[in-house]
Amino acid sequence: MKVLQNYVNGKWVYASASEQIPVHAPSSGEQIVFCPRSKVSDINSAVDAASEAFEGEKWKAFKPHERGAILFEMANMIRESSDELAHLETLDTGKPLSQARSDVEAAARYFEYYAGAADKVFGETIPVEPGILDYTIREPVGVTAHIIPWNYPLQVASRSCAAAIATGNTVVMKPAEDTPLTAVKLAEMFDRTALPDGVFNLVMGYGAEAGAALSAHPFVNHITFTGSVETGSAVMTAAARNIVPVTLELGGKSPNLVFADCDQNLAANWVVKSILQNAGQTCSAGSRLLVESSVKNAFLKKVVERMEKAVIGPGEKDPDIGPILNGTQYERIEEFMNAVYDEGGTFLLGGAREVVAGYEGGYYFQPTVIDGLSSYSKVAREEVFGPVLSVFSFDSEEEAIRLANGTDYGLVTGIWTKDIARGHKVAEKVKAGQIFINNYGAGGGIQMPFGGYKKSGFGREKGLEALRNYTQLKNVAVRVY
């Protein structure tokens, strides 16, 4: 069986230890490859290569538009290999093939977007006093660490490393050990460009080993992490010891607020899509439905009818819902479902494992709708990370806002109303990093800053705002007379 290799300083290398990590296909549970179980010495080699490349004259000599040209080349290669990448992403994550194809196009767009931004990172002149010319310069931070999650490995890897390279940094990337396949393909593509050796490095391994070593490395100058609150806190603690900034995109418990005057069919379609996307294994999943009491029953009927029709199956057959990543993630969902009974909830739909003929080794979970929970319950407040929707009702805007803000998270919120003044008013009071009015997601939102309030993290990915993660500001004051 194939054993993957790390990519360090422009070369494919095996990890220093002979230990390997088996990688399984979520749809079937079958092993597909081994990835290296990298240790501290492997992380040290990658960071040293990135540090030397950053300080080296070859990378410093690259003009901004030349960095952009490499990123444009990457976008083209991704599109040329779109079919292969989509199938690898589906094999790796289990997600439906059409969703994987969307991820591939999003990855290409990230490279394209930041390619265009590479020579448009501006400073400012600041009026201070006569005789002083004061200006700012945005410079690269240096070595950037990218710890990539398993649910959207290609998209997240592309969005962060493209922004980092556009601004002149070097990259050490650690993909999730469960889903390394498309990260390896990105490294192969970078290897075919004129990018100097050491600018992009890929090291695989367990988060508690390779990820922890990368987070704590004294030569790393910025860390981008997407994942759980618990791991994000550990990353932040390690970075603090070296006074290193972090960008954290963590969990979510995102609500859809459905008012009685909305287009109910449109809202129902999006409510369902927002929780079934990637089998609910999405930090921005619309996992809470807050619906005005006067239309609750009618609206719930629309939602349940749509979710009942959802087809469950292996990702390569392009169903509506693919598998849960692995047994560990499935058991977590099952624990939450057991808590529903203890907390007095009622299953309107689902709540159990689905066995798919021919794919009994995969962990499939039924689309689930739960009513009757208290807004203070565990299932209502904590991230389930599965196709599980909890339902609550409200009688006023104030109650809707209170419920929306009633968790430790604040990532995304959907607001459904034909009263745009109300939409703006509610958006102003909801504590979330992204607000959608009469839509949810906006086609991937390459250009739209993305990040959270509260325990959903801080800093922003996507859009021009993300470039701030990878630059530091220098102020220069010159006496001219």
Side-chain angles (χ1 to χ4, degrees):
M1 187 166 289
K2 183 176 181 180
V3 179
L4 303 179
Q5 292 177 287
N6 293 331
Y7 181 75
V8 176
N9 203 25
K11 297 180 178 62
W12 293 99
V13 295
Y14 288 106
S16 55
S18 59
E19 297 173 84
Q20 299 161 355
I21 302 170
V23 179
H24 298 87
S27 289
S28 63
E30 296 176 356
Q31 185 178 337
I32 46 179
V33 294
F34 286 102
C35 81
R37 185 176 176 177
S38 300
K39 304 292 187 177
V40 172
S41 59
D42 302 298
I43 294 298
N44 289 344
S45 296
V47 174
D48 286 348
S51 182
E52 290 172 11
F54 181 73
E55 296 298 339
E57 293 303 317
K58 191 170 184 179
W59 182 229
K60 286 183 178 179
F62 266 71
K63 300 179 179 65
H65 76 271
E66 292 173 333
R67 298 197 298 264
I70 287 177
L71 299 180
F72 273 126
E73 186 179 355
M74 286 291 294
N76 290 335
M77 284 193 285
I78 287 170
R79 289 197 173 104
E80 289 167 1
S81 302
S82 60
D83 192 61
E84 178 189 11
L85 285 168
H87 279 86
L88 285 174
E89 193 80 339
T90 289
L91 178 64
D92 223 4
T93 66
K95 67 179 58 175
L97 190 57
S98 59
Q99 293 179 25
R101 292 189 190 281
S102 296
D103 288 356
V104 172
E105 176 57 21
R109 288 183 61 203
Y110 280 120
F111 278 101
E112 199 169 59
Y113 183 84
Y114 289 115
D119 58 357
K120 301 172 185 68
V121 180
F122 305 128
E124 299 176 313
T125 58
I126 302 172
V128 176
E129 62 180 66
I132 296 290
L133 171 63
D134 191 87
Y135 61 92
T136 61
I137 304 170
R138 287 205 165 272
E139 297 182 336
V141 296
V143 177
T144 61
H146 304 246
I147 302 175
I148 308 301
W150 52 259
N151 56 342
Y152 288 88
L154 181 59
Q155 270 211 57
V156 176
S158 299
R159 80 184 186 195
S160 64
C161 80
I165 290 172
T167 44
N169 299 281
T170 57
V171 169
V172 179
M173 180 177 291
K174 194 209 83 68
E177 64 273 13
D178 298 288
T179 56
L181 297 183
T182 47
V184 171
K185 284 295 174 183
L186 283 182
E188 290 176 2
M189 291 175 183
F190 272 121
D191 193 56
R192 300 203 297 268
T193 70
L195 199 71
D197 293 345
V199 173
F200 178 87
N201 304 273
L202 177 71
V203 185
M204 290 166 272
Y206 286 120
E209 297 174 347
L214 184 57
S215 301
H217 201 289
F219 292 170
V220 166
N221 305 113
H222 179 274
I223 303 169
T224 295
F225 171 80
T226 300
S228 70
V229 173
E230 294 76 15
T231 306
S233 179
V235 168
M236 189 174 173
T237 300
R241 296 190 182 102
N242 295 317
I243 319 297
V244 169
V246 295
T247 300
L248 299 178
E249 191 221 304
L250 307 177
K253 195 69 178 176
S254 299
N256 274 292
L257 282 65
V258 177
F259 290 91
D261 68 338
C262 75
D263 181 331
Q264 289 192 28
N265 287 322
L266 177 67
N269 288 340
W270 278 101
V271 165
V272 171
K273 184 177 180 179
S274 71
I275 188 59
L276 297 190
Q277 173 85 9
N278 199 20
Q281 299 170 115
T282 305
C283 56
S284 57
S287 56
R288 289 187 296 150
L289 172 58
L290 315 181
V291 57
E292 194 164 355
S293 298
S294 61
V295 296
K296 178 184 176 183
N297 291 338
F299 188 77
L300 263 183
K301 183 179 179 182
K302 293 177 185 292
V303 169
V304 170
E305 285 175 350
R306 285 162 171 78
M307 291 179 71
E308 280 179 326
K309 295 176 182 176
V311 177
I312 306 172
E316 57 266 30
K317 293 188 176 181
D318 202 23
D320 298 305
I321 310 174
I324 303 303
L325 180 76
N326 55 33
T328 301
Q329 294 299 321
Y330 169 78
E331 288 170 6
R332 172 183 167 83
I333 296 171
E334 198 170 48
E335 287 177 10
F336 277 103
M337 296 305 96
N338 291 335
V340 170
Y341 295 106
D342 298 335
E343 295 176 341
T346 301
F347 287 99
L348 303 183
L349 184 69
R353 184 174 179 178
E354 181 85 2
V355 177
V356 177
Y359 295 87
E360 288 82 3
Y363 291 89
Y364 296 87
F365 199 82
Q366 298 168 348
T368 300
V369 181
I370 304 168
D371 195 10
L373 290 169
S374 161
S375 61
Y376 298 102
S377 67
K378 175 181 178 179
V379 179
R381 295 178 60 86
E382 296 184 22
E383 188 173 42
V384 177
F385 232 56
V388 179
L389 181 66
S390 302
V391 182
F392 307 90
S393 60
F394 61 84
D395 293 306
S396 65
E397 288 179 15
E398 291 72 22
E399 187 179 9
I401 293 163
R402 179 183 62 77
L403 287 169
N405 291 334
T407 74
D408 291 335
Y409 299 105
L411 194 55
V412 175
T413 296
I415 302 169
W416 301 90
T417 177
K418 292 179 181 176
D419 184 343
I420 298 304
R422 169 192 278 161
H424 284 296
K425 179 181 176 183
V426 174
E428 181 181 334
K429 295 184 178 180
V430 168
K431 297 175 181 178
Q434 272 193 342
I435 310 291
F436 295 101
I437 301 175
N438 296 328
N439 73 103
Y440 198 102
I446 307 299
Q447 310 92 325
M448 299 159 48
F450 179 63
Y453 283 37
K454 300 185 282 186
K455 288 187 178 179
S456 287
F458 52 80
R460 293 296 181 265
E461 298 284 1
K462 305 186 180 186
L464 295 177
E465 189 69 22
L467 298 177
R468 295 180 182 273
N469 300 339
Y470 305 106
T471 59
Q472 52 192 342
L473 196 67
K474 177 180 287 182
N475 190 96
V476 180
V478 182
R479 179 168 293 281
V480 295
Y481 60 83

